[in-house]
Amino acid sequence: MDADRSISDVALWPMRYDLHTHSKASDGKYSPTELIGYAKKCGVEVVALTDHDTCLGVEEAVAAGKNIGTHVVAGIEISTLWHGNQIHIVGLSVDVNSSAMQELVKVQSELRRVRAIEIGHRLEKAGFADAYERTKAAAAPGASITRGNYAAFLCREGAAHTEDKCFSKYLAKGCIAYVQPNWQTIDFAVKAIIDAKGIPVLAHPRRYDMNNKWLRKLIEYFKDAGGEAMEVSSGMQIPAERIFLGQLSAEYGLYASAGSDFHHEKPYLDMGVNLALPEGIEGFKPVWRSEHFKLEV
Ligand code: AMP
Ligand code: MN
Ligand code: MN
Ligand code: MN
């Protein structure tokens, strides 16, 4: 074993972790308590709750973790805009009670509320009565309403057989209910996470429809803004892709994170599955070696 591994690293290294998940506090299927229970069932020992633009579920997740003996990391996934792309920044080990997090959540939740209402109006025009109210009623009180919530609603309404189809029919860019978001900048999100003593993590770098030149620009920008880590392992991913992202993380001096982005069970994607970080890359550092990585329980 490496001589320089810290005690917490030794304790965490063999554990199964999933550092990107959602609950009913945004567009996940399970309540925070159910989610932590589900993590245990899946054999995940360290789970970060990272709901969209809210920390609403964290307290309940921590209490559930305490109850059943599962480690919980307090997290958030913040929506930002960069050159017209919707970039997601995960914050790990954030102090959810800090003024930085509370301010950020206030700003983002208002942007989300206004956008969700507008999406609802458009869906009403398309024949889905009370779309906003009914979508909201399915999530926890005060939850962030995302297009994921609307995709689930449309599916329940029988608009199409799968959420994916509902999404591409109504919610994707260019569709009838697409509303251009007005998110904050990457710098704003990164600063809020750092002020809340957390770790800014560039989420799912391969999901932005960018070529490698733009991906590198994004990583450089994120790093310069104060970014500390990037997601390398994400479950549904070919090995070459994981190694490539692992190499990028090492090249840019970013810690590597692993998360499934679990919302609900899907074919080929589940909590904690296929999330091992790549091995043998020089300079590679798992995110739990960061001095800022902290478990709530
Ligand atoms: P928003 O941040 O409001 O634009 O919504 C983004 C969320 O929509 C993502 O986090 C996913 O949960 C969900 N989403 C994105 N693409 C799809 C899709 N093809 N099918 C179903 N849900 C999707
Ligand atoms: Mn989502
Ligand atoms: Mn995301
Ligand atoms: Mn996510």
Side-chain angles (χ1 to χ4, degrees):
M1 183 167 296
D2 289 358
D4 67 343
R5 274 195 192 165
S6 67
I7 288 170
S8 66
D9 195 16
V10 172
L12 284 169
W13 182 256
M15 293 194 178
R16 276 185 79 191
Y17 43 81
D18 191 330
L19 302 177
H20 186 154
T21 71
H22 296 274
S23 77
K24 269 191 175 170
S26 64
D27 52 8
K29 171 183 170 188
Y30 295 123
S31 72
T33 303
E34 290 165 346
L35 185 86
I36 301 304
Y38 187 73
K40 183 152 188 135
K41 201 173 125 197
C42 293
V44 173
E45 291 159 290
V46 184
V47 53
L49 179 63
T50 56
D51 274 308
H52 296 283
D53 301 303
T54 183
C55 300
L56 190 68
V58 167
E59 195 182 330
E60 184 185 319
V62 171
K66 215 172 262 176
N67 243 337
I68 63 173
T70 296
H71 295 297
V72 175
V73 175
I76 188 167
E77 179 174 20
I78 304 170
S79 296
T80 72
L81 269 183
W82 183 76
H83 292 283
N85 297 287
Q86 296 188 43
I87 306 298
H88 288 181
I89 309 295
V90 160
L92 293 178
S93 305
V94 289
D95 176 355
V96 300
N97 296 314
S98 60
S99 55
M101 258 318 101
Q102 295 201 342
E103 269 303 304
L104 175 125
V105 163
K106 210 163 96 189
V107 171
Q108 292 287 93
S109 69
E110 183 55 16
L111 292 174
R112 275 212 175 271
R113 195 183 65 81
V114 170
R115 176 166 167 267
I117 289 172
E118 180 56 26
I119 293 174
H121 283 322
R122 294 186 188 199
L123 287 175
E124 279 200 33
K125 279 193 202 146
F128 300 96
D130 300 323
Y132 173 66
E133 290 74 15
R134 288 157 70 209
T135 299
K136 202 166 172 263
S144 292
I145 304 300
T146 79
R147 286 184 293 164
N149 298 77
Y150 274 115
F153 164 74
L154 287 167
C155 213
R156 289 194 297 276
E157 291 295 294
H161 287 306
T162 64
E163 286 185 14
D164 204 39
K165 289 231 165 69
C166 292
F167 204 91
S168 53
K169 209 167 158 186
Y170 292 98
L171 302 163
K173 206 166 190 162
C175 297
I176 189 166
Y178 179 77
V179 177
Q180 182 65 32
N182 191 18
W183 308 136
Q184 297 286 332
T185 61
I186 288 180
D187 303 71
F188 181 85
V190 166
K191 182 174 184 314
I193 293 167
I194 291 172
D195 288 349
K197 300 193 177 66
I199 303 170
V201 185
L202 179 64
H204 40 65
R206 269 307 189 202
R207 237 191 278 156
Y208 301 126
D209 202 16
M210 279 178 189
N211 61 25
N212 285 349
K213 191 175 143 205
W214 271 95
L215 180 59
R216 282 179 175 276
K217 271 195 199 185
L218 170 63
I219 294 172
E220 267 168 42
Y221 188 92
F222 172 71
K223 168 94 183 175
D224 286 348
E228 194 183 339
M230 61 183 265
E231 287 182 358
V232 164
S233 299
S234 64
M236 281 230 295
Q237 191 181 39
I238 60 167
E241 195 63 17
R242 186 170 300 189
I243 290 165
F244 174 65
L245 291 176
Q247 285 166 338
L248 280 182
S249 73
E251 183 182 331
Y252 288 97
L254 292 167
Y255 286 93
S257 188
S260 64
D261 200 3
F262 179 85
H263 290 71
H264 53 76
E265 304 87 333
K266 285 184 195 164
Y268 311 112
L269 194 149
D270 211 338
M271 174 107 64
V273 170
N274 187 19
L275 288 177
L277 288 175
E279 287 180 14
I281 298 171
E282 189 157 329
F284 182 87
K285 306 173 292 184
V287 70
W288 49 86
R289 296 185 83 165
S290 160
E291 60 177 314
H292 302 119
F293 190 81
K294 176 173 152 261
L295 304 170
E296 296 305 308
V297 50

